[in-house]
Amino acid sequence: MYCNVLVTKPFDHPFTYKLKPDQSVKRGSIVLVPFGKKNDQLGMVYETYESLPEHAINIKLKEIKLIFDHLFFNKQMIEFIDWIANYTLAPKGMVLKLFLVNKKIIDHEIKKIEKFHFNPISLNLNTAQQKAFNIINKSLVSKYHPIVLEGVTGSGKTEVYFEAIEKILLQKKQALILLPEISLTPQLEKRFKYRFGFAPDIWHSKVTEKNRKNTWHRCYQGNPMIVVGARSSLFLPFTNLRLIIVDEEHDLSFKQEDN
């Protein structure tokens, strides 16, 4: 069996590898492959072949080094990678790197699944807040539906979307809160902990490797959770995501001008 592997390098096309007799992969499998001078380059299986593809007949193919049996990206995730690459004109390999991050994170396994529990504080919304939440609430049970929640500073927008988050948590789903700057994270984390009785998962460049490993794999496993993070958290491998909140969505920090 043979496969084309998209490696986490600045290339827009995959490279062909052969499998050892005892190996088996499918589209979306996460693997380690020899590439250039490295023997352990992260990659994702992009296509599979039963027989040697025509373009590789006269090429000496390298073998897949390792297959992460517990990890693979589904069709939607692969389409998301392709879409980002096409939209931003970035190489697919570099987009894949946003998702896989690094070998240490991918090689991690969560030994114990923690039981999920939360203890929300009941707050009474004012008339304007309740009206806004009623509209959001209807959209939470329908297909994808973008909503702009507009209001002056201090008008209570955060409490409105906290109500939406509570509903997601009761359904044991996942939600993501995007912030334009990591300096805003501690403030929101404190409010979140007071409202729901537990701290959200945090994702940005300053988070420790240990916490990044646990957050990444809990996202992949579909555990009920809330992630608060910078724009890079959009590329976490959520499998049960039902709500994305872009706080201060007009902020220019959300848009990266290079690449």
Side-chain angles (χ1 to χ4, degrees):
M1 189 175 178
Y2 305 88
C3 62
N4 281 349
V5 176
L6 190 64
V7 295
T8 52
K9 289 285 188 181
F11 295 100
D12 204 37
H13 59 86
F15 296 85
T16 305
Y17 290 83
K18 62 181 179 180
L19 276 74
K20 298 171 186 176
D22 60 336
Q23 290 179 327
S24 177
V25 296
K26 57 185 174 182
R27 188 169 190 247
S29 293
I30 308 303
V31 296
L32 284 181
V33 295
F35 188 85
K37 294 181 179 179
K38 282 195 169 186
N39 198 36
D40 56 352
Q41 185 67 47
L42 267 176
M44 178 191 74
V45 174
Y46 202 71
E47 296 162 300
T48 60
Y49 304 95
E50 288 298 330
S51 56
L52 185 65
E54 190 174 331
H55 68 267
I57 289 177
N58 297 319
I59 300 173
K60 185 179 179 181
L61 297 179
K62 296 179 179 179
E63 293 182 332
I64 299 281
K65 181 183 177 183
L66 177 68
I67 302 165
F68 295 97
D69 294 324
H70 61 294
L71 291 177
F72 84 98
F73 284 172
N74 59 26
K75 179 183 177 183
Q76 288 78 16
M77 191 78 80
I78 297 171
E79 288 176 350
F80 187 31
I81 292 169
D82 288 342
W83 182 87
I84 293 170
N86 292 332
Y87 184 80
T88 62
L89 303 181
K92 288 182 182 179
M94 297 310 293
V95 176
L96 178 64
K97 185 174 176 59
L98 294 173
F99 288 84
L100 295 181
V101 189
N102 61 45
K103 182 176 175 288
K104 289 181 181 178
I105 286 177
I106 298 303
D107 207 18
H108 180 72
E109 282 191 61
I110 297 178
K111 304 296 183 184
K112 182 181 178 183
I113 298 177
E114 297 177 2
K115 288 186 178 181
F116 175 74
H117 58 85
F118 76 111
N119 185 28
I121 293 175
S122 181
L123 296 177
N124 294 323
L125 302 181
N126 62 34
T127 304
Q129 289 173 321
Q130 189 62 53
K131 184 178 179 181
F133 173 68
N134 290 343
I135 296 171
I136 294 171
N137 193 31
K138 290 178 182 177
S139 299
L140 290 176
V141 295
S142 63
K143 291 184 179 180
Y144 168 69
H145 195 111
I147 294 174
V148 176
L149 181 62
E150 187 177 6
V152 297
T153 303
S155 59
K157 299 185 294 294
T158 303
E159 285 306 327
V160 173
Y161 73 66
F162 272 6
E163 287 289 315
I165 287 173
E166 182 175 340
K167 183 166 184 177
I168 295 298
L169 287 172
L170 288 170
Q171 296 172 357
K172 295 187 177 181
K173 306 294 185 182
Q174 298 172 330
L176 169 63
I177 305 174
L178 289 170
L179 299 177
E181 300 287 349
I182 62 174
S183 60
L184 300 173
T185 308
Q187 180 185 347
L188 183 64
E189 185 181 8
K190 187 177 179 180
R191 289 187 67 174
F192 187 96
K193 195 170 183 178
Y194 172 77
R195 176 72 167 76
F196 296 109
F198 72 97
D201 283 69
I202 307 298
W203 185 273
H204 53 66
S205 58
K206 305 298 182 185
V207 175
T208 65
E209 188 80 20
K210 179 182 177 182
N211 287 339
R212 283 158 68 89
K213 287 176 181 177
N214 285 325
T215 298
W216 196 97
H217 283 272
R218 287 173 63 239
C219 285
Y220 178 81
Q221 290 177 357
N223 295 358
M225 62 190 297
I226 307 297
V227 177
V228 175
R231 61 191 180 202
S232 60
S233 55
L234 187 64
F235 306 109
L236 284 165
F238 293 101
T239 53
N240 208 2
L241 186 62
R242 291 297 178 270
L243 178 66
I244 300 174
I245 296 162
V246 187
D247 204 348
E248 302 292 333
E249 61 86 24
H250 56 279
D251 195 295
L252 295 178
S253 298
F254 281 120
K255 186 179 181 185
Q256 181 173 323
E257 293 293 347
D258 59 314
N259 254 13

